[in-house]
């Protein structure tokens, strides 16, 4: 199954922040060392998934 990038926007971020499937995808991307870029509210998704520690902007 092809993965699509996350949409941006405050409401979308809040919905993704509480979505277990979104957490799984974020962790998979980080574990696979894929490029992950975030703007605006996007970094909170990584913080909430527990994959931002030790990362720098």
């Amino acid at each position: 199954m092809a993965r699509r990038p996350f949409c941006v926007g405050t409401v979308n971020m809040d919905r993704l922040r509480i979505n277990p499937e979104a957490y799984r995808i974020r962790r998979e991307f980080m574990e696979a060392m894929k490029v992950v870029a975030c703007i605006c509210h996007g970094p909170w998704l990584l913080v909430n998934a527990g994959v931002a520690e030790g990362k720098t902007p």
Side-chain angles (χ1 to χ4, degrees), residues 4-25:
R4 306 272 187 235
F6 293 123
C7 298
V8 296
T10 304
V11 174
N12 291 327
M13 291 299 120
D14 281 340
R15 288 182 181 160
L16 287 173
R17 197 168 45 85
I18 60 172
N19 184 320
E21 178 69 4
Y23 277 80
R24 184 187 63 75
I25 292 169

Side-chain angles (χ1 to χ4, degrees), residues 26-45:
R26 282 174 265 171
R27 284 193 194 102
E28 283 182 9
F29 266 69
M30 298 300 283
E31 289 169 0
M33 300 190 68
K34 294 186 178 199
V35 174
V36 176
C38 299
I39 60 169
C40 197
H41 290 77
W44 282 113
L45 297 174

